[in-house]
């Protein structure tokens, strides 16, 4: 809670496994309480925003910085007389700016006097955090509709583009314009974590296999002990889909369970075959992030081509490195690429609407960008993967529209 939380701060290293899950519990229980008190309808968008809060509790979000962000949106609702229950998802999305709040509170105004060992809040830092949260509370809601039109719904992580663009300007103003030194990612030597080689492989696998299997089992039981009707979700193109509304809770839970198990299997296989990050805090978080829109667009069928795009770019880069005697700087399991791929699955509408080859192209383009976009906002936007996917979608859909590439004819699913 007391540390600046710039991307990518591994909470497993910083606080430990137990403290990280405690943090995730506190943050999501607060979200549950807000949903209950405001009588918010738990639809697909609210569920996605909730999942994103949970995901980032493993590498950058905590109960302090998220509270400032949400308070700004609640103030916006009060002043503009908009119902909070209709904007609760925006409050949750705004927490992607949490690293700005943490840095303002604990480091920004202290300069060289900042010490990781003895953190404290300065009055100037507190004022900056409040001002930033209020301004953000009014800007984020205004950006979401327009940026959604920019990529025409082909990036399911639509808040990523809006908050990424805003974060880019905030970073340029508060750091580059005023010449404030950027913080380093806080690193702590955690003996237990180091003994596990910074890879809680067994724990994370048991945890997610249990969660996803129970989700699948619940859907199976509620669907009269069958998978009947799941084919309808399987064939969806992922563009503007709302599975709960169209197919009901049981089939949606079946999809979440199957998709989650698929994500976990992919990561385990990739880690077995390549060298890179293991099941770190960020990796654990992005498993949750990867299933964010599995109730409104993502299925195993329309996301695998995007993953294949990452794999093909990795293979192509490896081929070039071998024949040019260059060292290989990354693999598919390098942390930034794991994070990027998790959010790149939000490009699945390209697969559904244009075909497998365009899903693969979308994945390759996203993989090219994912290691560079954090530089634009200094690592202060937690939705960097959604920001990358948004830029990729804008680029690709513009090219496809210009050359009048025809979409696959809608099936009876629509």
């Amino acid at each position: 809670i007391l540390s600046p939380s710039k991307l990518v701060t591994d909470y497993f290293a910083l606080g430990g496994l137990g403290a990280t899950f405690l943090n995730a519990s506190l943050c999501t229980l607060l979200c549950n309480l807000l949903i209950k008190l405001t009588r918010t309808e738990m639809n697909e968008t609210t569920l996605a925003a909730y999942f994103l809060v949970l995901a980032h509790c493993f590498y950058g979000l905590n109960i302090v910085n998220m509270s400032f962000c949400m308070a700004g949106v609640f103030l916006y609702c009060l002043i503009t007389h908009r119902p909070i229950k209709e904007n609760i998802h925006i409050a949750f999305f705004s927490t992607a700016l949490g690293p700005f709040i943490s840095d303002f509170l604990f480091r920004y105004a202290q300069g060289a006097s900042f010490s990781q060992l003895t953190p404290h809040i300065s009055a100037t830092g507190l004022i900056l955090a409040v001002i930033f949260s209020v301004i953000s509370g009014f800007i984020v809601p205004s950006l979401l509709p327009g940026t959604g039109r920019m990529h025409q719904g082909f990036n399911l992580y639509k808040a990523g583009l809006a908050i990424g663009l805003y974060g880019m300007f905030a970073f340029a103003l508060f750091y580059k314009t005023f010449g404030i030194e950027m913080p380093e990612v806080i690193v702590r030597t955690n003996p237990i974590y180091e003994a596990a080689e910074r890879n809680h492989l067994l724990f994370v696998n048991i945890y997610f296999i249990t969660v996803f299997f129970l989700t699948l089992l619940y859907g199976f039981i509620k669907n009269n002990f069958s998978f009947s009707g799941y084919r309808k979700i399987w064939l969806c193109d992922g563009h503007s889909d709302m599975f709960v509304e169209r197919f009901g809770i049981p089939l949606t839970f079946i999809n979440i369970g199957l998709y989650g198990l698929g994500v976990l299997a992919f990561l385990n296989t990739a880690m077995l075959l390549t060298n890179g990050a293991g099941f770190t805090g960020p990796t654990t978080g992005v498993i949750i992030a990867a299933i964010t829109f599995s109730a409104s667009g993502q299925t195993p069928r329309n996301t695998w081509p995007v993953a294949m795009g990452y794999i093909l770019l990795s293979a192509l880069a490896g081929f070039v490195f071998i024949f040019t005697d260059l060292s290989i700087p990354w693999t598919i399991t390098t942390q930034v690429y794991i994070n990027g791929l998790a959010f790149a699955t939000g490009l699945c509408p390209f697969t559904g609407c244009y075909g497998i080859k365009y899903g693969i192209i979308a994945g390759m383009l996203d993989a090219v960008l994912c290691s560079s976009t954090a530089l634009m906002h200094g690592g202060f936007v937690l939705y960097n993967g959604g920001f990358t996917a948004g830029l990729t979608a804008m680029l690709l859909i513009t090219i496809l529209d210009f050359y009048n590439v025809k979409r696959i004819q809608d099936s009876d699913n629509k």
Side-chain angles (χ1 to χ4, degrees), residues 287-338:
I287 293 172
I288 300 168
I291 67 164
T292 294
F293 289 94
S294 51
S296 51
Q298 293 168 322
T299 68
R301 176 177 176 266
N302 61 25
T303 52
W304 76 259
V306 178
M308 183 58 65
Y310 265 70
I311 294 171
L312 289 178
L313 182 68
S314 177
L316 177 62
F319 180 83
V320 172
F321 295 143
I322 290 173
F323 283 91
T324 56
D325 292 326
L326 296 173
S327 60
I328 300 176
W330 65 279
T331 69
I332 195 69
T333 54
T334 300
Q335 190 70 72
V336 67
Y337 288 90
I338 293 177

